[in-house]
Amino acid sequence: MTTDQLEPMPGDWQRALAIVAHPDDLEYGCASAIATWTDAGREVAYVIATRGEAGIDTLEPAESGPAREREERASAAVVGVTSVEFLDHRDGVIEYGLTLRRDIAAAIRRHRPELVITLNPDDTWGGTYWNTPDHRAVGRAVLDAAGDAGNRWIFPDTDAAPWKGVRWVAVAGTDSPTHAVDVTDGLERGVRSLMEHRAYIEALTTEDPEAYARDLIETYAREEAKRFGGRPAVTFRLFPC
């Protein structure tokens, strides 16, 4: 891993929109940064492409989807986010294409963010673990839709007017970050935000949910500190728009 120092994320913005595939995608890394931002008076909203209904092997989708939606709303509240939308694409079989791009462009037009946040669209996590099709499809569609949202000739039939105000797309979970956020003050709420996904965690591991969440979030933030002046950090690859 490179130890090149990362730049701080831009601070001259007021509204952000985080768009990911599943409930819990933001809690596995980004939530500490979001808590830090909302503490500073910035507005952050969530758009989730699916309800995560295929994510728990021991629960039928009809039961899992509503449970995971409830957990996502609770986890968002922990970090100061009150607006959480679900696009109702099918979990596990999201297709990259015009329908997905249109839905995301429409969400960007509704929320009118300056900063858009999404998750790693690359083929792998760190060159080792194969990324899921949903993450790849949604991450790529977000990068494309940030431009689509500002073009009045692309998807002209959305309810909201075109929005040219997206200044950056920040990709979390990438192995080639360029920027970081000091999450010293948001780290504890990042842990508690992940803990809200109790049904998912209990199906995933026999470890105590709090111990699991704390170890994962705190270890990640400490590891990234090596590239951010020793401060616990959440990292992003920042694409100007």
Side-chain angles (χ1 to χ4, degrees), residues 6 89 102 132 179 212:
L6 301 172
H89 287 257
R102 182 191 182 281
T132 72
H179 291 68
Y212 168 85

Side-chain angles (χ1 to χ4, degrees), residues 217-239:
I217 299 303
E218 292 182 352
T219 298
Y220 167 76
R222 287 195 300 267
E223 186 65 26
E224 296 303 324
K226 298 174 184 177
R227 293 187 279 183
F228 202 53
R231 294 165 288 174
V234 168
T235 63
F236 299 89
R237 183 171 184 84
L238 195 66
F239 293 93

Side-chain angles (χ1 to χ4, degrees), residues 135-219:
H135 293 152
R136 300 197 310 269
V138 172
R140 181 171 180 178
V142 170
L143 286 159
D144 292 339
D148 296 337
N151 189 325
R152 65 185 175 131
W153 306 120
I154 299 176
F155 311 126
D157 57 341
T158 60
D159 291 338
W163 171 246
K164 295 179 180 288
V166 177
R167 298 167 63 191
W168 311 274
V169 178
V171 176
T174 175
D175 60 353
S176 56
T178 56
H179 291 68
V181 177
D182 180 346
V183 296
T184 301
D185 295 332
L187 193 57
E188 179 62 27
R189 270 165 301 149
V191 171
R192 290 196 286 112
S193 186
L194 180 55
M195 286 169 54
E196 292 291 341
H197 292 277
R198 183 168 292 272
Y200 181 77
I201 293 172
E202 288 178 346
L204 189 68
T205 178
T206 58
E207 189 176 357
D208 174 73
E210 180 174 359
Y212 168 85
R214 189 168 301 283
D215 179 64
L216 192 150
I217 299 303
E218 292 182 352
T219 298

Side-chain angles (χ1 to χ4, degrees), residues 76-150:
V78 170
V79 295
V81 173
T82 58
S83 175
V84 182
E85 296 182 15
F86 294 86
L87 298 180
D88 285 327
H89 287 257
R90 288 178 58 209
D91 185 17
V93 291
I94 300 175
E95 294 185 88
Y96 176 86
L98 294 180
T99 299
L100 183 61
R101 278 174 52 193
R102 182 191 182 281
D103 287 350
I104 294 173
I108 292 171
R109 289 171 178 175
R110 285 195 303 275
H111 289 276
R112 308 181 92 69
E114 299 151 86
L115 173 67
V116 172
I117 303 152
T118 194
L119 195 63
N120 176 23
D122 298 337
D123 287 342
T124 67
W125 297 98
T128 302
Y129 300 100
W130 192 247
N131 201 357
T132 72
D134 284 359
H135 293 152
R136 300 197 310 269
V138 172
R140 181 171 180 178
V142 170
L143 286 159
D144 292 339
D148 296 337

